[in-house]
Amino acid sequence: MRCLRALVFFFFFISPLNPMSTATVPPSPRIKAVNLGGWLVTEGWIKPSLFDGIANKDLLDGTQVQLKSTAVGKYLCAEGGGGSVIVANRSSASGWETFKLWRVNSTHFQFRVFSKQFVGINAGGSAVTVATTPGHSETFEIVKNTGDSNRIRIRAPNDLFLQANWGNDDPSVFLMTTFGTMQGEYQVTNGYGPIRAPAVMRNHWESFIVEKDFKFMKDNGLNAVRVPVGWWIASDPNPPAPYVGGSLAALDNAFMWAEKYHLKVIIDLHAALGSQNGDEHSGGRDGSIEWGVAGSGNVEKTVTVIEFLTRRYAARRSLIAVELINEPRAEGVDFDTLKSYYQAGYDAVRRHTSTAYVIFSARLSADAGEFIPFARGLDGTVLDVHYYNLFSSIFDGWTAQKNIDYVNNQRASQLAAVTNPNGGPLSFVGEWVAEWNVNGAIADDYRRFGEAQLNVFGRASFGWAYWTYKHVNKHWSLQWMITNGVISLK
Ligand SMILES: *[C@@H]1O[C@H](CO)[C@@H](O)[C@H](O)[C@H]1NC(C)=O
Ligand SMILES: *[C@@H]1O[C@H](CO)[C@@H](O)[C@H](O)[C@H]1NC(C)=O
């Protein structure tokens, strides 16, 4: 007894260094979670087969195209980047010579230029780039050559083929190069179109994640899921086209299964109206970042999405946290806009629950700690940081050991820098994966890499979440990693 008391005293004595001791911050939940990526917000690389039934699936919204006239040997160019005419006199292609597709259906498209206007045909029959919203005059048919689908003709709304004005061979034939294909929720739903998309998506939601996955998670030592959702879920069952209804029922199922298997749920608003990062996983149409744009109303509408979700699930005992927005990108979302959104989103959550944590995501390409002083003034906040040894050339050519050392050293200090001992937000490594750019790594390398990350990220005061649960690339699938003994949480 005396011994026990001495121990208790000892823990209290050191406790000022421990977040669990401060009055305002609830005890750390020590979350060990997995993301349900690619479920309610589509990402084609997670499940490519979801796109298999789309006609002309190489021409989805946001795909970038460059068009070289075969007769003239020059690229089409939006002169001045937009607001002018289309010319066919550039010998190499870059920004002004790149067009982003907006898909009308499998054959008809609109072409968005560098400065965001659309290519159209004026009264004189010339191609211009003046319209800021596309209509009939900005809708073109892409006619592929049956033998070589990179050779195309472009039929204008006046039924004539677009042609480079030089005349020799056939000035209406263009060589089309496509790149930057996006495969997000907008692309899959608009790709299938309003008739087919509802059934395709419902089938995906009902089969990709099922009850036995929650049992698997529980049986293998996980205690939570982070569920990416898109803004359109709040207008279920009739979201604006091309999105389709039904993801809300799937989220309801996640809560039901989480309760059955005693897992916590983190709702993560992964896709915000207008796109907060331009990535396919933000639900955007063409890679533009238009979420925080003044006057768009997108920020206010996003608060209503958070309010809707919190109101719906506040009474569920599985609800542990609401993440206000995932990975806003510093290049398109400024600090002050995001801060005012974080305040408004926080207030919206608190109108319905005093116990759910509110998670702020660090901005991509900004200082990860920039929101700590702000978050410190609010109870029950969490800062989400994502750590991948990928997506940057600094990791190119690294050995397995160098990657592991990086986790043990640099990542450990980065995490320590955002893990506040005295109040302030809890820290959360909301995305990480045991994948890297190492060639020829063997299973034991992956095992050690996973173990190092579990060890370091286990120091996050809120916890961590692996990206992701299911994935065609096995190392990205925690289900595969656990089943094959590469990662073990026991
Ligand atoms: C391309 O054509 C336009 C219109 O005739 C002209 O203003 C521009 O200088 C030309 N650019 C090049 C690189 O030839
Ligand atoms: C595709 O859209 C164009 C332009 O609105 C329309 O003329 C055409 O009939 C549509 N095609 C199909 C297959 O729906």
Side-chain angles (χ1 to χ4, degrees), residues 104-108 136 139:
V104 174
N105 55 37
S106 64
T107 52
H108 286 68
H136 175 72
T139 303

Side-chain angles (χ1 to χ4, degrees), residues 230-257:
W231 59 270
W232 54 89
I233 198 172
S235 29
D236 213 272
N238 296 304
Y243 303 102
V244 300
S247 62
L248 189 60
L251 185 58
D252 285 347
N253 285 339
F255 271 90
M256 186 173 74
W257 299 328

Side-chain angles (χ1 to χ4, degrees), residues 49 53 69 95 121 139 157 246 250 267 270 344 372 384 388 407 416 427 431:
S49 61
S69 161
I121 297 296
T139 303
I267 299 176
H270 217 72
I372 290 179
D384 181 14
Y388 290 103
V407 168
S427 57
E431 293 185 18

Side-chain angles (χ1 to χ4, degrees), residues 355-377:
T355 53
Y357 290 88
V358 181
I359 304 182
F360 299 159
S361 179
R363 286 191 302 166
L364 296 177
S365 37
D367 167 22
E370 63 180 355
F371 280 102
I372 290 179
F374 168 68
R376 183 174 285 136

Side-chain angles (χ1 to χ4, degrees), residues 32 216-217 219-222 432 434 443 446-455 464 466 477-490:
K32 297 177 187 178
F216 177 92
M217 294 169 206
D219 289 347
N220 286 284
L222 292 159
W432 65 277
Y446 280 97
R447 192 192 52 73
R448 291 190 305 122
F449 186 42
E451 201 169 77
Q453 293 186 88
L454 283 172
N455 177 35
W464 51 259
Y466 195 91
S477 163
L478 186 60
Q479 183 192 44
W480 189 93
M481 294 294 255
I482 290 175
T483 304
N484 290 276
V486 184
I487 284 181
S488 171
L489 304 174
K490 291 176 170 173

Side-chain angles (χ1 to χ4, degrees), residues 53 274 325 437:
I325 197 166
N437 280 333

